[in-house]
């Protein structure tokens, strides 16, 4: 349950930052005369992908740790 909440929060935060970055990139590339907005948009998109990947990594790590603890309890009951 805890992992699902973290994954859902990561998904929403990552998606909102991603769309913001895409909008900044498109504005800087097509509309604005300032080229630095394009770089800021690219950086924002990369940040959103990084945030999403780190959230997925944390969820996967937590899931593996909880499965290992459950398996350890199960093996100790058998012996």
């Amino acid at each position: 349950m805890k992992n699902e909440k973290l994954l859902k929060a990561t998904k929403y935060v990552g998606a909102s930052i991603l769309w913001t970055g895409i909008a900044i990139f498109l504005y800087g590339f097509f509309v604005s005369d300032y080229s630095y907005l394009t770089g800021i948009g690219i950086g924002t998109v990369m940040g959103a992908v990084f945030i999403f990947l780190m959230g997925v990594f944390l969820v996967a790590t937590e899931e593996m740790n909880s499965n290992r603890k459950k398996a350890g309890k199960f093996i100790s009951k058998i012996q």
Side-chain angles (χ1 to χ4, degrees):
M1 186 67 174
K2 179 182 172 187
N3 293 340
E4 292 174 15
K5 288 181 181 180
L6 180 62
L7 189 60
K8 192 177 288 189
T10 303
K11 180 175 68 171
Y12 289 134
V13 168
S16 64
I17 294 174
L18 178 69
W19 286 112
T20 303
I22 290 172
I24 292 171
F25 172 77
L26 291 175
Y27 181 77
F29 193 74
F30 292 115
V31 178
S32 178
D33 292 333
Y34 301 111
S35 62
Y36 65 86
L37 286 176
T38 305
I40 292 173
I42 292 171
T44 306
V45 169
M46 289 175 57
V49 170
F50 181 73
I51 288 171
F52 179 74
L53 289 177
M54 288 304 296
V56 170
F57 176 76
L58 288 173
V59 169
T61 304
E62 184 69 30
E63 187 70 27
M64 290 181 71
N65 280 338
S66 67
N67 286 344
R68 195 176 100 205
K69 288 178 185 177
K70 288 178 186 177
K73 290 178 184 177
F74 180 72
I75 291 173
S76 65
K77 288 182 181 180
I78 293 175
Q79 296 173 350

